[in-house]
């Protein structure tokens, strides 16, 4: 059960970093790209926090 949370966390963090990398390749305003990248990281942090609340610490 615990490995499922770790796997999901790795997937969401990998998706966030790939998304940030893709954003860096797209031409446009750095302000908007930074905002979207920041939202991706915040979403990944929140997702990881929710998963850690689901599985109790030992």
């Amino acid at each position: 059960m615990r490995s499922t949370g770790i796997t999901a966390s790795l997937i969401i963090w990998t998706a966030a970093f790939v998304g940030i990398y893709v954003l860096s390749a797209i031409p446009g305003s750095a302000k908007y790209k930074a905002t979207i990248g920041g939202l991706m990281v915040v979403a990944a942090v929140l997702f990881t926090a929710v998963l850690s609340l689901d599985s109790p610490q030992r």
Side-chain angles (χ1 to χ4, degrees):
M1 188 69 91
R2 177 94 172 127
S3 64
T4 304
I6 293 172
T7 304
S9 291
L10 286 174
I11 290 170
I12 194 69
W13 278 103
T14 302
F17 284 116
V18 167
I20 291 170
Y21 178 75
V22 169
L23 275 176
S24 69
I26 297 172
S29 172
K31 177 182 172 183
Y32 297 118
K33 291 193 289 187
T35 302
I36 294 170
L39 289 173
M40 286 181 188
V41 171
V42 168
V45 167
L46 290 175
F47 185 82
T48 305
V50 168
L51 285 178
S52 69
L53 290 175
D54 186 35
S55 57
Q57 300 292 325
R58 291 186 177 224

